Amino acid sequence: MSETTTWTVTGMTCGHCAASVTEEISEIDGVEQVDVVVETGAVTVTSATPLDESAVRAAVEEAGYALA
């Protein structure tokens, strides 16, 4: 069964920002889907197993942004 978690990412301002965050988070093992709402910073991740927040934080930081 899939698990869905929503984080808030700060610093995103455009579609390119969202694409960068989506790309980095998508590389985490088990991630099935990433939905980003630039206006609110909401990043909803659907994964096969619960994700380690530190892995998500590292992916977001690799993209140049931060978890709120």
Side-chain angles (χ1 to χ4, degrees):
M1 187 165 118
S2 294
E3 172 130 340
T4 301
T5 310
T6 301
W7 283 280
T8 301
V9 175
T10 60
M12 294 187 299
T13 57
C14 64
H16 182 264
C17 302
S20 296
V21 169
T22 299
E23 181 180 339
E24 291 297 337
I25 292 176
S26 294
E27 291 179 7
I28 300 171
D29 283 345
V31 170
E32 298 169 344
Q33 183 175 343
V34 180
D35 293 306
V36 177
V37 179
V38 173
E39 293 77 19
T40 63
V43 178
T44 303
V45 181
T46 303
S47 56
T49 57
L51 295 177
D52 182 2
E53 182 176 324
S54 63
V56 175
R57 184 176 303 277
V60 168
E61 289 174 357
E62 181 69 26
Y65 306 96
L67 285 186

